[in-house]
Amino acid sequence: MTAVDNLALTNYGHFTTMRVQDGAVRGLSLHLDRLVTDCATVFGAELSPGYVRGRIRAAIAGAEAPLTVRVTVADPGLRIGRPAAPADPQVLVTTRAATPQWQPPMRVRSTTYIRDVPAVKHTGLFGPLFERRRAQLDGYDDALFTDGDGRVGEGPTWNVGFVDGDTVVWPLADVLAGVTVRLLAAAHDGPQRTEPVELSRLSGMATAFATNAAGGIRPIAAVDGVTFATGHPIIGLLCRRYAEVVPEAV
């Protein structure tokens, strides 16, 4: 049985996704650190960053256009009845055409949902994708997760940020700390803070945006019935700051 076969049976594994252009990745070290940390959490096993880099280099060899690269770690020998057994995780690297760096503003619908083990970027995507599907069937572009008290968390495959006056606000919640958020928080030289953000506060926010490594920064036009100024200058500033982050060679 291969790692892919076992993923289909157990959905137990973890991954990271990155945009590769000209053989380099913004935040590559953070992606590799995530894989190492998550492998220890999910499998109790060590993962060699050098080995992963070599696998990525092999997968992108000869590519001229930007690619979205996903590195998935799964154990072909894992059994549903004994997930605590000693693991031998394997690395699977897949590629696809990169998402355009600029995407149109999106409308999202809030829904109460918290991912399992939110600090791990794991392969358990059924719940998030089901909520995305439900939102799209109702005419939205995506879903925005909140907890039971109406505090904003994250999207199915992205983090969210807001702008309060001239300050970037990152929601304080049980979410995956995305690589793009970490790069932006370090690169942005304006005021920013992390705090709980309730849905009831969104009407007072100037704008909102989504971030992930594959697509960068995407404006959010509306959450439920609350609309935002998608042309707010801070979004443009954040895009410039992100573009200035020096990519690391694979």
Side-chain angles (χ1 to χ4, degrees):
M1 182 181 294
T2 68
V4 175
D5 294 332
N6 212 15
L7 270 176
L9 295 175
T10 66
N11 206 19
Y12 192 86
H14 65 94
F15 72 101
T16 196
T17 301
M18 62 194 77
R19 179 186 176 90
V20 181
Q21 185 167 355
D22 299 324
V25 177
R26 286 184 176 85
L28 176 62
S29 297
L30 296 178
H31 285 287
L32 295 174
D33 288 347
R34 164 189 283 164
L35 289 171
V36 170
T37 300
D38 286 355
C39 193
T41 300
V42 174
F43 294 111
E46 295 184 3
L47 183 66
S48 166
Y51 174 74
V52 174
R53 290 179 88 144
R55 292 291 304 275
I56 297 172
R57 281 195 295 268
I60 65 174
E64 297 181 358
L67 294 173
T68 295
V69 174
R70 170 169 160 158
V71 180
T72 304
V73 181
D75 180 6
L78 184 137
R79 297 291 178 263
I80 290 177
R82 285 290 297 165
D88 182 22
Q90 307 297 309
V91 173
L92 172 69
V93 180
T94 54
T95 66
R96 65 180 189 271
T99 303
Q101 282 290 85
W102 184 89
Q103 298 177 73
M106 63 178 175
R107 296 173 59 253
V108 303
R109 183 185 67 179
S110 64
T111 187
T112 302
Y113 185 84
I114 298 176
R115 293 185 310 108
D116 294 334
V117 197
V120 172
K121 193 173 180 70
H122 55 75
T123 57
L125 294 175
F126 176 84
L129 294 185
F130 186 70
E131 294 301 333
R132 173 175 284 170
R133 170 183 165 81
R134 290 205 312 138
Q136 290 177 349
L137 289 174
D138 284 343
Y140 295 85
D141 297 303
D142 213 337
L144 176 65
F145 301 153
T146 64
D147 65 14
D149 294 319
R151 289 186 290 260
V152 172
E154 60 189 342
T157 55
W158 42 269
N159 290 110
V160 64
F162 300 94
V163 177
D164 183 8
D166 63 350
T167 301
V168 174
V169 178
W170 307 108
L172 177 63
D174 289 329
V175 301
L176 180 72
V179 168
T180 305
V181 163
R182 293 166 68 183
L183 292 174
L184 275 175
H188 181 50
D189 51 4
Q192 54 185 313
R193 61 180 185 264
T194 301
E195 64 188 20
V197 178
E198 296 80 11
L199 281 173
S200 59
R201 289 183 55 198
L202 297 192
S203 60
M205 298 291 184
T207 193
F209 56 93
T211 72
N212 71 7
I217 302 167
R218 184 176 184 180
I220 294 177
V223 176
D224 300 330
V226 179
T227 59
F228 301 106
T230 58
H232 194 283
I234 287 186
I235 291 183
L237 174 62
L238 291 173
C239 289
R240 293 192 296 275
R241 292 290 179 264
Y242 185 61
E244 291 168 359
V245 174
V246 179
E248 302 173 56
V250 176

